[in-house]
């Protein structure tokens, strides 16, 4: 089988090259003024970022992407709405599976990233016929954490830099896999949600399977509650999850209206998604679960062995 390695040199830098390119010139100007040293820092930051991105871009030219409609019978604009009764039945099945197959194993983030990355490599190879190897390095924080306060993580798909902004508990493996899919050049959020779920859910690794089941369950609750945190909590409390898992599904109920800046950034991100051929932020939850429903019920989708368990 053909093997392709994407260097992802930027991911091994002690400091995010994305942040250096964006924030470096500002910091250099504030601290050093318009001096030869300041200009040298700005130039070095830009050249490091551009050089790493160019190498990754060249490597990606030979990468075959998954053709979603052909493989699954579903895509961003080909989704069959999942009936409410089907969602409720699937919630019950997911709760039962999570309760019965619960694992308390909690690997460190970097180990979890390695496991998720290896599984993605194997899974995508079954769909494309290529083994595409990428870095599994993950940062704890970047400027994106301040610009996107509502997000759990982010990936700059140009440089390949990934950051996870906070401890996400049982959901962490899925969130890591989601960002690692972006690192492979899939920029649409629905595609990242679906590929990470299908890869992890068929992995046979109890931690990875548990994480993506939890993600799928939580997105069902988010859809049924129409993003109302109070309603979401009510649905989660009635779901019957074992105590070790239940707390993770209880979103905080805000004591005050959303901050206008945070709310504005969220709306801006939603608009950015729509302008790039997506359905907006709902692709994370309703689109994700509708995709899996469409795939399971389409009948016309090809069913390779890797899809056997979703």
């Amino acid at each position: 089988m053909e093997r392709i390695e994407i260097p992802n040199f930027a991911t091994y830098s002690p400091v995010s090259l994305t942040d250096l390119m964006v924030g470096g010139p500002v910091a250099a100007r504030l601290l050093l003024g318009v001096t030869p040293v300041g200009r040298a820092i700005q130039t070095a930051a830009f050249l490091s970022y551009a050089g790493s991105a160019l190498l990754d871009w060249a490597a990606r030219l030979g990468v075959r992407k998954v053709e979603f409609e052909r493989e699954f019978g579903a895509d961003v604009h080909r989704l069959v709405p999942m009936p409410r009764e089907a969602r409720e039945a699937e919630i019950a099945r997911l709760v039962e599976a999570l309760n019965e197959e619960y694992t308390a194993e909690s690997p460190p983030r970097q180990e979890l990233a390695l496991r998720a990355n290896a599984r993605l490599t194997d899974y995508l190879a079954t769909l494309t016929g290529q083994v595409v190897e990428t870095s599994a390095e993950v940062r704890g924080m970047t400027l994106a954490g301040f610009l996107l306060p509502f997000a759990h993580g982010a990936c700059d798909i140009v440089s390949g830099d990934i950051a996870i902004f906070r401890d996400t508990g049982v959901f962490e493996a899925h969130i890591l896999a989601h960002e690692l899919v972006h690192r492979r050049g899939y920029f649409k959020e629905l595609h990242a949600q679906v590929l990470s779920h299908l890869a992890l859910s068929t992995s046979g690794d109890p931690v990875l399977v548990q994480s993506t089941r939890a993600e799928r369950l939580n997105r069902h609750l988010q859809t049924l509650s129409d993003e109302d945190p109070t309603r979401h909590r009510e649905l989660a409390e009635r779901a019957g999850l074992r105590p070790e898992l239940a707390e993770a599904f209880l979103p905080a109920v805000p004591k005050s209206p959303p901050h206008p800046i945070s709310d504005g950034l969220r709306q801006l991100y939603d608009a950015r998604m729509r302008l790039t051929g997506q359905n907006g932020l709902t692709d994370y939850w309703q689109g994700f679960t509708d995709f899996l429903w469409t795939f399971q019920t389409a009948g016309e989708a090809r069913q390779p062995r890797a899809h056997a368990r979703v």
Side-chain angles (χ1 to χ4, degrees):
M1 189 176 287
E2 181 185 10
R3 302 184 75 88
I4 294 178
E5 182 175 357
I6 300 176
N8 295 136
F9 289 131
T11 69
Y12 299 102
S13 170
V15 180
S16 165
L17 294 182
T18 310
D19 289 358
L20 280 177
M21 191 184 72
V22 175
V26 176
R29 184 175 292 272
L30 289 175
L31 296 174
L32 302 171
V34 183
T35 66
V37 174
R39 285 195 293 270
I41 291 174
Q42 295 175 36
T43 302
F46 172 76
L47 291 178
S48 297
Y49 181 94
S52 175
L54 184 61
L55 289 170
D56 286 359
W57 173 80
R60 287 196 191 107
L61 288 177
V63 174
R64 290 194 291 270
K65 294 290 188 64
V66 173
E67 295 184 25
F68 286 83
E69 285 206 33
R70 188 190 72 187
E71 294 292 342
F72 309 113
D75 205 346
V76 173
H77 299 304
R78 184 176 181 180
L79 301 172
V80 177
M82 188 175 189
R84 183 183 183 91
E85 58 272 18
R87 285 191 189 278
E88 292 173 343
E90 190 163 277
I91 286 171
R93 290 194 297 271
L94 287 166
V95 168
E96 181 180 7
L98 284 164
N99 286 344
E100 290 182 356
E101 299 179 34
Y102 170 72
T103 175
E105 184 186 356
S106 182
R109 177 173 292 168
Q110 197 56 55
E111 178 189 333
L112 201 55
L114 285 167
R115 286 159 67 170
N117 199 45
R119 175 54 190 156
L120 279 171
T121 299
D122 292 345
Y123 177 74
L124 290 172
T126 67
L127 303 180
T128 65
Q130 288 181 325
V131 177
V132 179
E133 297 180 340
T134 67
S135 164
E137 295 295 313
V138 177
R139 301 187 189 280
M141 179 55 70
T142 64
L143 286 174
F146 299 100
L147 297 175
L148 303 171
F150 50 85
H152 296 301
C155 175
D156 173 2
I157 63 170
V158 178
S159 71
D161 248 337
I162 288 172
I164 302 298
F165 306 141
R166 60 186 69 89
D167 179 18
T168 52
V170 70
F171 306 106
E172 185 130 321
H174 178 96
I175 291 170
L176 285 165
H178 176 111
E179 302 304 343
L180 288 163
V181 172
H182 284 320
R183 177 172 282 170
R184 285 166 165 78
Y186 295 88
F187 75 89
K188 292 184 178 179
E189 301 302 336
L190 180 62
H191 292 167
Q193 282 288 79
V194 167
L195 291 178
S196 54
H197 174 75
L198 292 174
L200 270 54
S201 66
T202 56
S203 67
D205 181 322
V207 175
L208 303 187
V209 172
Q210 175 172 266
S211 182
T212 203
R213 280 176 175 164
E215 173 76 6
R216 188 170 180 174
L217 171 60
N218 203 45
R219 296 309 190 174
H220 279 309
L221 298 176
Q222 191 174 5
T223 301
L224 287 180
S225 65
D226 197 26
E227 285 200 280
D228 180 339
T230 301
R231 177 63 178 153
H232 191 139
R233 286 183 69 93
E234 291 172 353
L235 292 171
E237 287 169 348
R238 295 207 308 261
L241 283 161
R242 59 190 298 154
E244 298 92 335
L245 291 168
E247 186 66 27
F249 293 84
L250 303 178
V253 178
K255 298 178 181 178
S256 58
H259 193 280
I261 295 178
S262 177
D263 190 50
L265 288 170
R266 183 181 170 89
Q267 292 179 32
L268 185 63
Y269 191 79
D270 181 83
R272 194 276 298 174
M273 288 181 65
R274 293 178 187 279
L275 286 171
T276 53
Q278 303 178 75
N279 299 310
L281 287 169
T282 57
D283 274 347
Y284 281 102
W285 53 91
Q286 184 171 345
F288 167 46
T289 51
D290 282 350
F291 184 108
L292 295 175
W293 171 255
T294 306
F295 166 46
Q296 291 172 329
T297 59
E300 61 196 72
R302 183 167 67 84
Q303 300 276 334
R305 286 175 298 173
H307 301 339
R309 180 187 180 199
V310 296

